[in-house]
Amino acid sequence: GFTLNDLVTYNDKHNEANGEDNKDGSDHDRSWNCGVEGPTDDPEINALRERQIKNMLATLILSQGVPMMLAGDEFGRTQQGNNNAYCQDSDISWLNWNVEEKGETLIAFVQNLTRLRSEHSALRSRRFFTGDVDENGNRDLTWLSAGGGEMSQEEWDGDAKCFGMHINVPQNEENGEEEGRDDMLLIINGYHDLVVFSLPDAPDGRRWMRLVDTNLTLDEEVPFDGGTDYDVTGRSVLLFTAR
């Protein structure tokens, strides 16, 4: 298959170097080149590609369970569109550790995600979420629409491309030490255009602290009140915590 970089750079496989007239390898990589096949100097396309890489890294590392990555995806490794490079002993399959500026940016992004995953129990729960309300009125998982309210069945059945996920679990629950609640809000916008998302009220009178926005160059922690209308860039992922 494609590397993560190639997944956003090529619509089609380019396995000519394998010597089989490009007939080997899968034809179903479900990739999108963002408008141009292969490398480009177009700054808008390159910015979109980098954001898409960040989006997929975020959805992987911020998911429950053990994240597994292909070596080199953390700095944008390419196989030049080759999705069947098992037979290559060349720069197509080698890992180039001379990381460029783009790669350094991605490495820093991955480091931030793994740090957040380590710090927040909500991002690595050892039990399945139920969505049920417990005896203290807490719900471990709530799905939210862009309006800030709970997703309705009609919205699930519709064409919602932007939604949020509020996780509310005991802090340090894996150690049996419930030190308050760990509240995380994850917002995903798969739509190509901006969506205004109304942030829900944070529990216990707290505020939402933005930790990640894949549209931004730097992930700076910025506070937001519940009810704030946040402009979610098309094709982006955001992460907040309640403080």
Side-chain angles (χ1 to χ4, degrees):
F2 279 152
T3 65
L4 183 53
N5 179 85
D6 291 357
L7 198 65
V8 301
T9 307
Y10 298 93
N11 281 351
D12 304 302
K13 65 184 181 183
H14 294 269
N15 297 353
E16 291 82 2
N18 296 352
E20 298 184 38
D21 297 323
N22 205 35
K23 295 178 181 178
D24 62 308
S26 173
D27 294 314
H28 305 284
D29 284 293
R30 297 183 180 273
S31 59
W32 178 47
N33 64 18
C34 300
V36 172
E37 186 74 356
T40 179
D41 294 327
D42 188 310
E44 291 187 6
I45 291 178
N46 285 330
L48 175 57
R49 286 175 175 175
E50 183 172 333
R51 188 162 76 248
Q52 289 286 70
I53 289 174
K54 287 182 175 181
N55 291 338
M56 286 183 271
L57 287 169
T59 53
L60 171 67
I61 297 175
L62 300 179
S63 293
Q64 304 298 316
V66 179
M68 301 182 69
M69 293 178 57
L70 176 66
D73 278 351
E74 73 277 16
F75 56 77
R77 169 181 171 251
T78 179
Q79 290 185 167
Q80 303 168 34
N82 193 317
N83 72 356
N84 196 34
Y86 77 98
C87 59
Q88 292 293 329
D89 184 11
S90 67
D91 59 355
I92 291 177
S93 60
W94 296 339
L95 268 70
N96 183 358
W97 297 106
N98 295 318
V99 180
E100 299 178 353
E101 181 179 355
K102 168 191 168 184
E104 295 288 356
T105 299
L106 290 176
I107 288 173
F109 181 73
V110 171
Q111 288 173 331
N112 187 43
L113 291 178
T114 54
R115 176 185 62 82
L116 292 171
R117 182 182 176 88
S118 175
E119 292 176 353
H120 292 277
S121 300
L123 300 177
R124 46 182 170 77
S125 179
R126 295 191 177 185
R127 58 183 178 81
F128 290 107
F129 297 131
T130 66
D132 297 330
V133 179
D134 65 17
E135 64 276 7
N136 297 315
N138 296 308
R139 179 182 289 177
D140 57 8
L141 181 65
T142 305
W143 296 98
L144 303 169
S145 66
E150 186 173 354
M151 288 276 285
S152 66
Q153 189 60 52
E154 290 75 17
E155 287 170 319
W156 278 118
D157 294 338
D159 195 27
K161 294 183 175 66
C162 181
F163 57 88
M165 180 175 66
H166 177 199
I167 304 174
N168 178 335
V169 299
Q171 181 69 29
N172 294 327
E173 65 172 348
E174 68 272 21
N175 298 324
E177 303 172 2
E178 297 193 11
E179 303 173 358
R181 308 293 296 185
D182 191 18
D183 287 272
M184 306 296 291
L185 174 62
L186 180 70
I187 297 175
I188 297 177
N189 184 11
Y191 191 51
H192 69 269
D193 206 352
L194 180 147
V195 171
V196 178
F197 198 104
S198 180
L199 300 181
D201 290 333
D204 305 321
R206 291 176 287 172
R207 306 178 75 191
W208 291 112
M209 185 70 67
R210 187 188 67 205
L211 305 176
V212 174
D213 184 338
T214 58
N215 182 53
L216 301 178
T217 303
L218 297 175
D219 289 320
E220 298 178 333
E221 295 191 1
V222 179
F224 293 87
D225 293 321
T228 298
D229 287 338
Y230 192 104
D231 291 341
V232 183
T233 304
R235 302 189 177 101
S236 64
V237 174
L238 291 85
L239 181 69
F240 299 82
T241 188
R243 288 183 187 167

